[in-house]
Amino acid sequence: MALTDEQRRAARERFLADAEQVDPVGLEQAARRGEHKMAAFGERPPASLSEWWQELKLMLGLLNDYRKGDYRQVPWKVIAAITGAVIYFVSPLDVVPDFLPLAGYLDDALVIKLALDLARADLARYAHWKQRQPPSHE
């Protein structure tokens, strides 16, 4: 099953609109809701998200470290794009509703891929920084 051109366009437009609206409160809410939704899946993500699962975890880690002030070496536009993707991911009623079998997360995967394409270099720098940090005892 694949997305139609119209579904792709609609998902892309909604993602870009969400990213443009991001503010610190939206970042906080997206990070919290994203962590909760990912925890609900555990290590068994929907099939259409499995390819991007580790990157999605990294994106959420970046958002959390950014909002706490632990890591700020990333442009706001990258934070906004990642936050927009997470907002889209946590919304149960997006272009293709998540509850639909097989197709429910195809649009989420597209949006996550769009954010990754925008943020890949910054995510690589963040991952390198994160590896050099001492273990957290939270």
Side-chain angles (χ1 to χ4, degrees), residues 81-92:
I82 291 171
T83 303
V86 173
I87 290 168
Y88 194 95
F89 168 66
V90 299
S91 176

Side-chain angles (χ1 to χ4, degrees), residues 17-112:
D18 287 345
E20 284 182 21
Q21 305 277 327
V22 171
D23 62 13
V25 172
L27 187 158
E28 177 85 27
Q29 291 173 344
R32 204 171 39 252
R33 291 178 65 206
E35 290 285 340
H36 179 74
K37 188 165 185 173
M38 288 190 73
F41 288 118
E43 288 302 317
R44 298 183 61 143
S48 55
L49 293 178
S50 62
E51 181 177 351
W52 312 115
W53 199 244
Q54 295 307 314
E55 286 90 347
L56 184 54
K57 285 182 178 181
L58 187 62
M59 288 193 297
L60 279 165
L62 174 57
L63 289 186
N64 281 308
D65 282 334
Y66 185 91
R67 73 176 178 77
K68 291 186 291 187
D70 294 341
Y71 184 83
R72 293 293 177 112
Q73 294 84 26
V74 59
W76 177 254
K77 68 179 184 171
V78 170
I79 293 297
I82 291 171
T83 303
V86 173
I87 290 168
Y88 194 95
F89 168 66
V90 299
S91 176
L93 298 174
D94 41 36
V95 172
V96 179
D98 295 345
F99 61 81
L100 292 177
L102 304 174
Y105 286 97
L106 288 175
D107 57 326
D108 299 72
L110 169 69
V111 167
I112 291 165

Side-chain angles (χ1 to χ4, degrees), residues 55 58-59 62 71 73-75 77-79 81-82 112-130 132:
E55 286 90 347
L58 187 62
M59 288 193 297
L62 174 57
Y71 184 83
Q73 294 84 26
V74 59
K77 68 179 184 171
V78 170
I79 293 297
I82 291 171
I112 291 165
K113 171 81 169 73
L114 291 171
L116 282 171
D117 289 347
L118 292 170
R120 193 161 310 278
D122 290 292
L123 282 169
R125 282 189 289 277
Y126 168 71
H128 182 71
W129 172 84
K130 191 73 173 170
R132 295 188 327 257

